[in-house]
Amino acid sequence: MTTAPLIAVVAGEHSGDLLGAGMLRELRQRYPTAEFIGVGGPLMQAEGLQSLVPMDDLAVMGVAEVLGRLPTLLRHRRLLISTLKARRPQVFIGIDAPDFNLPIAKRLKAEGIATVHYVSPSVWAWRQGRIQGIKKAVDHVLCLLPFEKSFYDQHQLPATFVGHPLADEIPMTWSQHEARNALQLGEGRLIGLLPGSRKGELARMAPLFLQVAQQLYRQQPELNFVVPMISAARAAQFKALHQRYAADVPITIIDGQSRTTMAACDALLLTSGTVTLEAMLIKRPMVVAYRFNWLTFQLIKRLFKAPFFSLPNLLANERLVPEFAQTDATVDALTQALELQLQQPQVEVTLQRFTELHQQLQRHANMLSAQVVSEFVDKTQ
């Protein structure tokens, strides 16, 4: 190694920060003097990343939400492109956030800079024509899910199935009793509510989840409810919604520790996204619900091609867990589904399938992703 490599990484939200931190840790072992620049949160910064703009500025979801933040997003993207073109890293890795990262990758690839995209865009599910644009922007895709690599193979774009770091990190079995002790929770029946970590998402989903909790509580007053909140700001937002929609329902708010909270529960009501994968790996019965902004949903429902939207169902290619979107996500439907998750014998079969899927995803993702990136770095040394 003749020079210290410069590696650029851009993550757009908490889940990407988690993926990036594990990869950077592995890369640091390979390249002790490497410099990491780009965008990341506290986890990536703890691994030595210099974040050029605040990661929270990129954490927006949905068409309407993005439009409201467009000037900031475009300003940040221009800054990143100009900085990275000037500094010429050995490789640029965009982690998820394809609408933000792929245009950056395309500009850098045109300048002769190697580009990797970590977390496949859901191109197999909707807007499949995007594959041509991805090929113009990206030299290699790191896939979290096994069926994604097959899609890229069909379109002659190099891709590696690296598995998911969460499958490496989360134990195959997680004691409910120990989780409750860690959180100082009692031994009664416990329902976990996970209505999202973003401000807009929480505003859309928490009222629905609270009304479900209220209906369940009135039917079964022995039930207990718990909700983990990612920050003090989101906790304050949830408390205000709790007082407005279900003040009579006792709900324990946990500061962070979402995985331990899920492990402590008998069943979960949660939003779609990475949290459903975490719940699957922790192996707790769940009901998944999501409501999009109206404009976002009008676009998605015309373009979405996949048979399911929750990760456990996509991975299994069957309806393993109940999922409800938009107008189907009603208080009555979610309440009934949660009651079944607490009762039905089928839950044991579902949990066994969760174990099989966990084993399939357990591939040492941090090591494999760093290995692919290092191949690009070494070419320029």
Side-chain angles (χ1 to χ4, degrees):
M1 185 92 39
T2 56
T3 59
L6 176 64
I7 298 172
V9 192
V10 173
E13 60 179 355
H14 173 72
S15 60
D17 191 38
L18 183 66
L19 291 173
M23 181 183 64
L24 293 184
R25 198 174 308 119
E26 288 284 337
L27 287 169
R28 176 68 71 196
Q29 292 184 15
R30 295 166 185 257
Y31 310 106
T33 61
E35 181 182 358
F36 302 123
I37 62 171
V39 181
L43 300 178
M44 289 171 64
Q45 291 178 44
E47 298 300 330
L49 178 90
Q50 178 193 358
S51 192
L52 302 176
V53 301
M55 186 186 75
D56 286 348
D57 284 1
L58 310 187
V60 291
M61 183 176 180
V63 176
E65 293 86 344
V66 169
L67 288 175
R69 299 279 291 279
L70 195 56
T72 298
L73 292 169
L74 291 176
R75 183 172 67 252
H76 288 339
R77 194 158 70 189
R78 284 194 298 269
L79 171 65
L80 287 165
I81 290 171
S82 62
T83 301
L84 298 180
K85 283 173 65 175
R87 298 208 54 191
R88 298 196 63 81
Q90 269 71 33
V91 61
F92 167 79
I93 306 112
I95 303 179
D96 209 356
D99 291 331
F100 185 83
N101 276 322
L102 290 178
I104 297 175
K106 184 178 180 180
R107 293 285 297 274
L108 298 179
K109 186 177 180 182
E111 295 286 325
I113 296 169
T115 59
V116 173
H117 194 76
Y118 194 176
V119 184
S120 168
S122 301
V123 66
W124 40 267
W126 67 306
R127 291 169 57 200
Q128 292 194 358
R130 288 180 295 165
I131 186 62
Q132 299 307 321
I134 294 171
K135 290 175 72 172
K136 291 178 182 177
V138 175
D139 292 305
H140 202 106
V141 180
L142 301 175
C143 304
L144 303 183
L145 310 177
F147 56 82
E148 294 173 328
K149 176 173 166 50
S150 301
F151 179 85
Y152 289 106
D153 289 346
Q154 292 170 18
H155 291 88
Q156 294 81 51
L157 176 56
T160 300
F161 168 46
V162 300
H164 204 296
L166 292 177
D168 301 320
E169 184 179 342
I170 293 174
M172 199 61 67
T173 59
W174 195 324
S175 165
Q176 183 185 61
H177 179 72
E178 290 178 6
R180 291 190 179 194
N181 282 345
L183 298 174
Q184 297 183 315
L185 296 170
E187 290 301 317
R189 228 164 207 203
L190 189 62
I191 306 294
L193 307 176
L194 291 96
S197 58
R198 303 181 186 91
K199 182 179 180 181
E201 189 174 56
L202 195 61
R204 279 197 308 278
M205 302 307 300
L208 173 64
F209 283 22
L210 286 164
Q211 290 171 73
V212 172
Q214 186 175 60
Q215 188 158 308
L216 281 168
Y217 182 67
R218 287 174 177 172
Q219 294 169 1
Q220 303 180 55
E222 73 280 6
L223 288 177
N224 299 296
F225 298 87
V226 63
V227 54
M229 284 287 121
I230 196 170
S231 67
R234 296 291 75 77
Q237 183 185 2
F238 181 82
K239 285 177 184 176
L241 293 167
H242 179 202
Q243 288 302 308
R244 179 177 176 185
Y245 289 96
D248 58 323
V249 180
I251 299 177
T252 301
I253 297 177
I254 303 292
D255 182 12
Q257 303 185 80
S258 62
R259 292 183 204 164
T260 306
T261 302
M262 287 190 277
C265 291
D266 294 288
L268 305 167
L269 175 60
L270 35 74
T271 55
S272 183
T274 303
V275 68
T276 63
L277 179 65
E278 291 179 300
M280 184 197 83
L281 296 171
I282 295 167
K283 301 170 191 68
R284 296 297 182 266
M286 73 184 86
V287 174
V288 183
Y290 207 79
R291 285 179 176 174
F292 296 90
N293 172 281
W294 181 86
L295 176 59
T296 300
F297 182 70
Q298 296 307 309
L299 294 171
I300 286 177
K301 73 178 184 179
R302 289 165 171 79
L303 299 170
F304 193 76
K305 304 298 183 186
F308 309 105
F309 67 87
S310 64
L311 282 169
N313 290 345
L314 285 167
L315 281 166
N317 197 29
E318 61 176 294
R319 190 180 172 88
L320 266 187
V321 303
E323 60 175 44
F324 301 88
Q326 215 65 6
T327 54
D328 292 335
T330 65
V331 173
D332 287 344
L334 298 181
T335 301
Q336 291 170 17
L338 268 173
E339 288 174 332
L340 286 173
Q341 290 298 299
L342 287 168
Q343 298 170 6
Q344 61 174 289
Q346 181 66 21
V347 165
E348 289 303 318
V349 177
T350 300
L351 297 185
Q352 178 56 40
R353 290 287 286 121
F354 286 175
T355 298
E356 294 167 2
L357 294 169
H358 192 159
Q359 292 167 342
Q360 186 180 27
L361 293 176
Q362 208 171 49
R363 292 176 59 86
H364 305 291
N366 293 335
M367 182 183 70
L368 285 177
S369 61
Q371 182 176 310
V372 171
V373 169
S374 68
E375 291 171 3
F376 287 102
V377 173
D378 291 347
K379 288 177 183 176
T380 64
Q381 295 296 316

